Amino acid sequence: MAKLQLVQEPAADALLEANPFALLVGMLLDQQIPMEVAFAGPKKLADRLGGFDAATIADYDPEKFAELFAQTPAVHRFPGSMAKRVQALAQVIVDEYDGDAAALWSDGADGRDVLRRLKALPGFGEQKAKIFLALLGKQYGVSPEGWRAAAGDYGKPDVHMSVADVTDAGSLQQVRAYKKEAKAAAKSAKAAKS
């Protein structure tokens, strides 16, 4: 498996690579902020908490956890609401997967089942779940049977549509360009309907 380069910062990427829960939290945070900032969030939290595991985060005092999120540099531009989501995610991982995020995909389930489990997580809708499944398959060495089909377009090889396709600075720019084009096309389609 090649080294993850989602953040383009070795220590943050190493945490994502070594800690499935950190990777899951990075994906959760990936909204309304640049993707590399989102995936750097777990490292910021790990530094502030002295480690990074679901049980610690689930049990942390919610107000104090929100304060950790808001410390400069903030983990997310919406620290209060995202701190709550991360704690809710941590609680599900503790309650349903014994604190082991990798249990979501490591029990022999096929791609459709893994996608269903991901969609059931707090903060994971259809698109986010498909992107994360593609990230697992393309870069994390997790490829349950049928994962590409379950991930939809995000599972296709040789595309640059999402964080699942970021392997270096160049591919990060290609993904940014794709997102910019998709946003412009959606805006144009909406204007045409008006």
Side-chain angles (χ1 to χ4, degrees), residues 17-49:
E17 194 168 301
N19 185 323
F21 181 62
L23 188 67
L24 200 60
V25 168
M27 188 74 223
L28 175 69
L29 296 173
D30 188 15
Q31 61 185 58
Q32 300 180 323
I33 60 175
M35 73 180 83
E36 65 273 24
V37 174
F39 282 90
K43 176 72 167 95
K44 289 176 190 166
L45 287 171
D47 291 346
R48 295 169 191 178
L49 290 165

Side-chain angles (χ1 to χ4, degrees), residues 51-189:
F52 200 84
D53 70 274
T56 300
I57 290 172
D59 292 341
Y60 215 84
D61 175 87
E63 284 183 28
K64 288 187 167 81
F65 191 67
E67 289 170 14
L68 288 179
F69 243 76
Q71 281 178 17
T72 306
V75 173
H76 197 278
R77 67 187 277 203
F78 301 112
S81 61
M82 292 310 284
K84 286 179 186 160
R85 279 197 186 155
V86 169
Q87 282 196 292
L89 176 63
Q91 194 64 61
V92 168
I93 297 301
V94 168
D95 292 347
E96 296 180 26
Y97 299 97
D98 294 324
D100 178 14
L104 277 158
W105 56 79
S106 62
D107 66 351
D110 68 13
R112 274 195 328 250
D113 282 338
V114 174
L115 181 65
R116 180 186 47 75
R117 292 172 186 174
L118 290 168
K119 287 181 355 187
L121 296 173
F124 277 71
E126 178 91 15
Q127 183 176 7
K128 190 176 290 269
K130 285 181 174 183
I131 291 169
F132 191 77
L133 180 57
L135 176 60
L136 291 173
K138 289 179 175 182
Q139 295 197 54
Y140 212 64
V142 174
S143 50
E145 185 177 329
W147 73 268
R148 283 193 190 273
D153 287 345
Y154 298 107
K156 291 179 179 175
D158 304 321
V159 297
H160 291 93
M161 296 176 65
S162 72
V163 69
D165 306 306
V166 174
T167 56
D168 56 26
S171 58
L172 174 62
Q173 293 311 315
Q174 288 177 292
V175 168
R176 277 216 167 86
Y178 170 82
K179 287 183 169 194
K180 189 174 181 180
E181 288 173 23
K183 196 178 274 189
K187 190 175 184 181
S188 176

